[in-house]
Amino acid sequence: MSRIPRDYLINRLVTLVLTVLIAATLIWIIPRLSPVDPAEIALGRMAAGAGAVENAGEILETLRAQMGIDQPLIVQYFKYIKGVLLFDFGLSTAAFPTPVSALIANALPWTLGLMLISLIITFIIGNLLGALMVWEKTPRLWKVAIPAAMVFTSIPPILSGLLLMWIFAATLGWFPLTGAYGLTVEPGWSWDFATSVLHHGFLPALSIVVVTFGFWALGMRGLMISVQGEDYTTLAKAKGLKPRYILYKYMIRNAILPQITAFALKIGLLIAGQVLVERIFAYNGMGKLLYDAILDQDFPVIQGVSYVIILMTALSVFIVDLIYPFIDPRVRHEVA
Amino acid sequence: MAETLQTPTRAEKRQARRLRRFDNPWLNPKLIWGVALLLGILLLGLIGRMLWNLDLVFTGSATLKLPPVGFENLRKQEGVWDFPLGTDGSGRDMLALIIIGAPNSLFVGLLASLIGMSTGIVLGFTAGFVGGRTDDVIRVLSDVMITIPPLLILVVFQASFGDVSLTMMALLIAGFVWQSPTRLIRAQVLSMKQSGYVQMARLSGASTGHIMFREMMPNLVPYLFGSFIANVTTSIVTAVGLEVLGLGPQRIPTLGRTIYEAINAGALIQNLWWWWGIPTLLLAVMFVGLLLINLGLDEVSNPRLRKLS
């Protein structure tokens, strides 16, 4: 199990490349099927700003040439694919002339940070609670309380976000309502900024945590049930090991590994959910960028954000698929 | 015989009760509760349409921002029975809004999932049975599509096309929920093909159609239901997500769009909790119902879970 079989690697790579290619193509084709002309939108924006635009016809031609939409579709497509591979999505039309990639580079760290923190917390809490649901030594109260908390699993984080926002930000005023850091704080490596970020990030993270831990807990419960019936658990009990030791070193140790693959299938939904949480909290991440772009009809930004998020999802699935057999030696890379 | 004459323990009594019901796993409480919650929402839509004046969903049909009955808003106005759940920021009656909006969300979820499931059944069986090049194409395509989050492609779509109808939105979402049933059925068909009873049916000269639908399909039913319900949830989450981003149908009231309008109007700061709270609550009930159905179905298809509860 020291290295990955070549066929398997190629198989996964082909899937990854195809995913990214198909997603990029869809994102490119869809706006071109619509009757809306981006050059006209840009012109309309100019007209709205200046009152009236003289020689509109000429400007329209120039804009089309600038956007490259006067060229044959096939040329446009290959230019687009080349640009996408280099993370060049053109210039934002709403924040002209900022490149889309710069906007994304600003927003991405916020999204990744929020995602990583809430993911780690949910993974730990969810798996622990799931394990406790099955363990014989769990106090009775917990055995009733955990399944009850499971009800939240099904709710998308945007709904829990609204509720938490109302209780802790609007009513109690413990946390700020929106934003990723205080308006008076200068971004930088300072203590003030760090506490402000944590303070602002708490509610968005919490609203993701309360609705996603149940997913892990449910999966863990199923896995623990099968581990419970294994001979090695029985043997460990017969040897008279401490129940807590058996729980951590025997049961959870064996049950937690398949949970990691479950993550690969769920990540798309997790990211999409987080985009919406960022939108309602006006958190400075990809979600807010996307929402603002939709409001402004800023297509390059919409395309760029969608593409980057899909790329993130596909890459995570790819990485989980590859490293999984190293984490769990029982699994071999199958050549499908 | 002597042992059975002793007073039965509680576990034995329970087992006896189960036997009397023919131990029908489909009658487990989770499943029943889940179905009841969804039916409740459906009934709200059906009965509400008959009893309530739906013209109240038009803007300006009532005083703005009235609270539900028994509450008071910041302007010291009290709720009135004419608008029992209060009104939103443009004077629409919340009750009429949810009577129309709640079944809409369910409709999108069910339709999208139904189309996705049908596609999945056809593709899954085709891949499993035909094999070869066809199987490769279907397998790779579903592997690829399953990692693409539907929300983001649909955002691009709806931002370019503007207004869409409910049915159109369901069709679009259906394009992203066929993968998991396809994979599930393909895997099951491949393993069933080797099983004794299918071999037996083939040897006795049964047609492919017979093997597919009479021999294999019945064994797939619990999985199919589970996958169907999971897809309904995904579809509704996606639809609500689009609506909260301000996309989706613009002229029909939906729960997601109501939340969108409430957030944009600053309903949270103004403490107009009923405006965003009622649609949120209804969606939560819907999702909890779907989850319960899914857990109940798990017990049907996986008897190991049944013993625990």
Side-chain angles (χ1 to χ4, degrees), chain B residues 8-18:
Chain B
T9 62
R10 266 172 74 191
E12 280 166 349
K13 269 188 191 160
R14 196 168 58 214
Q15 202 168 11
R17 261 205 312 277
R18 272 206 174 151

Side-chain angles (χ1 to χ4, degrees), chain A residues 119 122-123 126-127 212-221 259 262-263:
Chain A
L119 197 67
T122 28
F123 191 79
N127 282 310
T212 43
F213 82 88
F215 164 73
W216 302 108
L218 276 182
M220 192 63 180
R221 174 172 172 258
Q259 283 283 75
F263 168 69

Side-chain angles (χ1 to χ4, degrees), chain B residues 71-126:
Chain B
F71 294 94
E72 208 173 55
N73 65 13
L74 292 179
R75 284 181 292 167
K76 301 284 173 227
Q77 288 167 314
E78 279 186 21
V80 287
W81 279 107
D82 288 348
F83 316 105
L85 295 180
T87 57
D88 75 357
S90 44
R92 291 182 290 187
D93 177 41
M94 286 305 297
L95 181 59
L97 210 59
I98 61 167
I99 285 173
I100 297 182
N104 279 350
S105 296
L106 215 50
F107 167 77
V108 169
L110 288 174
L111 184 63
S113 189
L114 206 66
I115 299 170
M117 177 65 60
S118 320
T119 319
I121 290 175
V122 173
L123 288 181
F125 268 116
T126 315

